[in-house]
Amino acid sequence: MAFLEIRPLITLSEQGKLTAEEDFLVACEASRVNVLIEKQDEAIEYTIKARLLIPSVSVELQGYWYQVLLNFYAYLWFDEAFLKASQMACVFPPKGHFYASVWNEVVYEGNVGLALLVSRDYVGALQHFRVSLNAIVRSGVSHASYYHLRTVELLTSALLDLPLDEDDLNALRAELSEKSPLFLHLLYTAWALDERRKGRFDRADTYFRTAFDLIERTSNFNRSTLLIYDLAIEFYKSREATATLIEILEQRIKIFDKIGQRVSHGFPLLMQQAGDLAHAKAEVQNSAVELIDCLALIGEYHDGTTGQHTGRVGQLVYSMASRLGLSSANDLSMAARLHDIGKIGIREGVLKKTGLFTDAEREEMKQHTTYGYQMLANGSSALIKLARSIAYAHHERWDGGGYPNGLAGESIPLPARVVAVADVFDALTSERPYKRAWTTQEALEEIERQAGHQFDARVVAVLRSIIEEGGLDEENR
């Protein structure tokens, strides 16, 4: 890593073996490197040291103070000040100095390039990165900035839709993995953009996700991190990948929050992205509602004996959930419509049988809870996840005698307990080929007999209160 290359010079400084001017330059470089690797306390320590040494160095070298300033301007996202400081830090060290051949041209050109990159001037940024890299090659000096400059050069090239060489990318990945893994996320982002240019969107998605994983594992949260997320947001927006877009927008906002204590800029973009997130979530919610409507209709068509059963269950669930004080009563009502969706997987001869089931047929019918769970397993919205939980657990019993998992008491999700009562009540009060419709009072009495056994007594009490207050529309039952 970059810090390992500056460490021997820091040791010489601590041992008092460097001149004041050399101490000053080492402090400037140590400050810059520690900002780069997110070691804020150490960066401040060396910044203070460099500032205190200014009176002891020649006017010719005092220009390096701007190297320290531009680092912190970048760290604080003061883009305009960062660019000005980069342009002012142009003093070359004395001839014969150990940094004379490489220091200024590399750092100056590289920092100007970074300022232009975050300002989205990609053409200008690329020019400065290439000058800086050429200076390193000409000097033959191992410089701490090389891998950072190499990866941002590739990223900028990709942003300009310039083709990248696959062999070069693979070789650099191997080298970075061994020597400077801190910058791998930049390489993978450049790679993702290049795959996007080629129209290989699945591979672009893979490389973006690899970059995100590296950022999370290294906690490498800085300005370039947010630039990567912004580029990914643009990519997933163009692909209309709403679920992934929501995930990335949420993560980008979390990262901004983590580094926001040192940031005074960027809030307009953050607010725009928060709006994008809300819009994307609304689209997913609307899509989930449409999906539930569609699946409920399919389920009712397949199970022709139940008619409007799922709709009535949903209405009763809303009333019960509201009285239980659940803030998600509307979502619960909608999700309840899919409680029997797994019956689509049951053979028609079993599903529509009017006589008694054999033991084997009864076991087959019980599988509708598992089938419903499996059908909804890949849904990413909160609404579909809620429907999945209800479909799986609405035949569990309070006393633990239900299926498919034998859950008992409050280990059964509350939404499933609510739906269980509404489901049985509607089934009892509905006419079937094999039975008459029970009266509301008869059904209530039967359900109350099962309170504390099959059903949650608290939920049953809510059903009674709704009935006593005339909350059921008898004409529609």
Side-chain angles (χ1 to χ4, degrees):
M1 290 177 59
F3 187 74
L4 297 180
E5 298 182 30
I6 191 69
R7 181 71 250 185
L9 297 175
I10 292 174
T11 300
L12 291 174
S13 175
E14 291 170 346
Q15 293 172 348
K17 296 181 179 180
L18 300 181
T19 66
E21 291 187 343
E22 290 170 340
D23 270 343
F24 172 73
L25 288 172
V26 169
C28 289
E29 177 72 343
S31 171
R32 186 188 68 79
V33 170
N34 277 292
V35 165
L36 183 65
I37 62 177
E38 296 281 305
K39 291 189 175 182
Q40 181 172 312
D41 291 343
E42 289 87 344
I44 292 173
E45 174 189 342
Y46 286 111
T47 300
I48 292 172
K49 180 176 180 179
R51 179 65 184 86
L52 293 174
L53 284 169
I54 284 180
S56 303
V57 302
S58 65
V59 174
E60 185 180 22
L61 287 185
Q62 287 180 15
Y64 281 104
W65 174 243
Y66 288 110
Q67 299 289 351
V68 177
L69 289 183
L70 67 86
N71 257 345
F72 275 97
Y73 289 149
Y75 191 62
L76 295 169
W77 291 6
F78 294 140
D79 294 339
E80 186 176 345
F82 174 37
L83 182 57
K84 287 181 178 178
S86 298
Q87 293 167 335
M88 293 175 72
C90 56
V91 179
F92 284 83
K95 186 176 181 179
H97 192 278
F98 59 82
Y99 269 133
S101 63
V102 68
W103 168 284
N104 196 81
E105 195 170 6
V106 170
V107 176
Y108 161 65
E109 295 288 350
N111 280 325
V112 172
L114 289 172
L116 294 173
L117 175 62
V118 298
S119 300
R120 303 295 183 104
D121 180 355
Y122 302 138
V123 173
L126 185 59
Q127 291 173 345
H128 285 278
F129 291 148
R130 287 177 173 173
V131 170
S132 185
L133 284 167
N134 287 336
I136 294 175
V137 172
R138 287 197 313 272
S139 69
V141 176
S142 176
H143 196 277
S145 295
Y146 172 75
Y147 290 111
H148 189 208
L149 287 166
R150 186 77 180 90
T151 51
V152 291
E153 180 210 19
L154 287 171
L155 176 58
T156 309
S157 297
L159 285 165
L160 291 169
D161 286 330
L162 300 176
L164 306 185
D165 184 273
E166 189 88 10
D167 291 338
D168 287 347
L169 291 169
N170 279 308
L172 184 58
R173 174 171 58 184
E175 195 171 355
L176 286 173
S177 297
E178 179 184 353
K179 298 181 178 179
S180 195
L182 186 66
F183 304 120
L184 272 168
H185 65 294
L186 294 168
L187 175 68
Y188 277 108
T189 303
W191 216 328
L193 295 175
D194 192 54
E195 294 296 343
R196 180 195 65 180
R197 180 186 61 81
K198 296 173 181 175
R200 300 195 293 213
F201 301 117
D202 288 345
R203 292 184 65 176
D205 171 68
T206 298
Y207 289 138
F208 269 127
R209 290 182 182 276
T210 303
F212 301 150
D213 181 59
L214 288 166
I215 289 167
E216 282 296 310
R217 282 197 280 129
T218 60
S219 297
N220 190 11
F221 306 134
N222 52 39
R223 185 60 183 272
S224 65
T225 304
L226 293 184
L227 175 60
I228 289 170
Y229 272 87
D230 291 341
L231 294 171
I233 288 167
E234 292 172 7
F235 170 72
Y236 289 110
K237 269 187 178 180
S238 69
R239 301 296 300 158
E240 297 184 353
T242 306
T244 304
L245 180 61
I246 287 174
E247 173 190 343
I248 294 170
L249 283 164
E250 287 181 334
Q251 189 60 33
R252 201 271 189 194
I253 289 171
K254 287 178 184 177
I255 290 174
F256 186 93
D257 184 59
K258 288 178 182 178
I259 62 178
Q261 294 180 4
R262 68 172 191 260
V263 174
S264 62
H265 298 283
F267 287 102
L269 178 59
L270 179 67
M271 294 306 295
Q272 175 189 328
Q273 291 178 335
D276 288 343
L277 177 59
H279 179 70
K281 282 189 169 181
E283 285 188 351
V284 168
Q285 183 75 357
N286 290 337
S287 298
V289 170
E290 292 172 2
L291 175 62
I292 285 177
D293 281 338
C294 181
L295 288 175
L297 288 172
I298 292 171
E300 289 177 357
Y301 178 79
H302 184 67
D303 185 7
T305 62
T306 59
Q308 297 299 314
H309 169 67
T310 61
R312 291 195 301 269
V313 168
Q315 292 171 8
L316 181 53
V317 164
Y318 178 82
S319 298
M320 296 169 70
S322 298
R323 289 177 181 248
L324 285 165
L326 301 179
S327 60
S328 57
N330 192 60
D331 286 353
L332 182 51
S333 171
M334 180 63 66
R337 296 187 61 194
L338 296 186
H339 68 282
D340 277 340
I341 191 62
K343 287 184 177 180
I344 292 175
I346 304 298
R347 287 183 298 124
E348 188 171 353
V350 174
L351 185 63
K352 296 184 179 180
K353 185 176 180 178
T354 57
L356 295 175
F357 286 148
T358 65
D359 289 344
E361 289 170 341
R362 187 175 294 105
E363 290 304 312
E364 182 177 348
M365 180 62 79
K366 287 182 179 180
Q367 290 299 309
H368 80 274
T369 56
T370 301
Y371 293 156
Y373 178 87
Q374 292 170 345
M375 287 178 63
L376 302 172
N378 293 325
S380 60
S381 76
L383 195 55
I384 296 298
K385 289 178 181 178
L386 178 60
R388 180 172 68 228
S389 173
I390 291 169
Y392 201 35
H394 72 286
H395 279 292
E396 301 286 359
R397 291 175 54 103
W398 185 260
D399 60 12
Y403 61 90
N405 294 309
L407 302 179
E410 294 192 357
S411 64
I412 306 168
L414 179 56
R417 284 181 264 152
V418 174
V419 171
V421 171
D423 182 28
V424 172
F425 178 81
D426 187 79
L428 292 174
T429 56
S430 299
E431 184 178 352
R432 296 287 189 267
Y434 52 86
K435 78 170 189 68
R436 68 173 176 84
W438 291 24
T439 67
T440 297
Q441 188 59 34
E442 288 172 333
L444 176 61
E445 289 173 359
E446 174 61 24
I447 286 175
E448 287 187 322
R449 276 194 291 273
Q450 295 298 328
H453 302 289
Q454 183 175 353
F455 305 116
D456 181 345
R458 182 167 66 114
V459 176
V460 173
V462 168
L463 175 63
R464 168 170 280 281
S465 69
I466 292 171
I467 292 172
E468 289 179 343
E469 295 172 17
L472 293 181
D473 185 353
E474 296 288 344
E475 292 183 2
N476 291 328
R477 301 209 63 77

